Amino acid sequence: MAKSQLTFNKKERAKKKQQKKKEKLERREVNKSNNNKGKSLEEMFAYVDEFGNISDTPPTQVYKFKEEDLHRPVESEDEFLFGKVSYYNETGNYGFIRDNETRETVYFNDKLAGMVLTLNQKVKYKYTRTKQGNQISEVELM
């Protein structure tokens, strides 16, 4: 008589496979019951109050705009900054201006400045932010 082909390992693998199928079906049922899709549009709204807090209830009163809310803040780029030339390379005709207040450096070259600047020269300038860093846009000697 031949021995049974079902060994202990085969039985265990079959049990594990059945257990995984059962767990997968249970997870599927839980996901179906906890499904958040298909909500109405009103349920998905989020409201922001005048202080920036997010809530799910609409505001009770309409926000009244104030006159100062409609004005743009004055940008620092509109005002001249003061500094002095902290580094200048004569062979490359470029250098850096160090701001008196923030101690930040701004790149310049003779073409951008429109004039030749020298080391430790005091200047009044405006700058723009570029991919390479801050560059001057206007320079005046003091």
Side-chain angles (χ1 to χ4, degrees):
M1 226 158 118
K3 205 174 186 184
S4 172
Q5 295 294 320
L6 257 125
T7 61
F8 178 77
N9 283 338
K10 288 182 181 178
K11 288 179 186 176
E12 287 297 312
R13 275 190 253 135
K15 283 182 187 177
K16 285 182 182 179
K17 194 173 186 180
Q18 285 288 49
Q19 183 66 26
K20 282 186 179 182
K21 277 187 180 181
K22 186 178 176 184
E23 288 173 0
K24 188 175 181 179
L25 284 173
E26 288 173 0
R27 282 195 309 264
R28 188 179 293 160
E29 290 299 320
V30 168
N31 287 341
K32 279 186 181 179
S33 65
N34 293 337
N35 187 3
N36 289 332
K37 293 181 181 177
K39 287 184 179 180
S40 67
L41 185 62
E42 288 78 25
E43 290 176 358
M44 292 189 285
F45 276 149
Y47 300 95
V48 180
D49 65 1
E50 61 183 300
F51 304 110
N53 300 324
I54 299 174
S55 68
D56 56 352
T57 57
T60 55
Q61 58 188 8
V62 179
Y63 180 73
K64 304 284 189 228
F65 283 101
K66 301 174 193 134
E67 187 67 30
E68 63 257 13
D69 291 341
L70 301 176
H71 295 295
R72 288 188 176 188
V74 177
E75 295 182 12
S76 62
E77 293 179 6
D78 293 342
E79 300 172 4
F80 276 98
L81 301 169
F82 298 97
K84 73 176 189 176
V85 178
S86 62
Y87 175 80
Y88 185 72
N89 185 333
E90 291 180 9
T91 59
N93 297 327
Y94 70 91
F96 293 94
I97 298 173
R98 177 163 294 208
D99 192 286
N100 289 342
E101 294 177 14
T102 62
R103 312 304 288 168
E104 289 182 345
T105 57
V106 180
Y107 171 81
F108 75 91
N109 62 31
D110 291 346
K111 288 183 182 179
L112 287 173
M115 63 182 83
V116 178
L117 299 175
T118 58
L119 194 63
N120 294 326
Q121 194 171 21
K122 294 183 179 182
V123 292
K124 185 165 72 166
Y125 68 96
K126 290 183 183 179
Y127 73 92
T128 57
R129 213 173 284 278
T130 63
K131 287 190 290 187
Q132 292 85 10
N134 296 335
Q135 283 186 353
I136 63 161
S137 56
E138 294 180 40
V139 176
E140 293 179 12
L141 297 176
M142 293 187 54

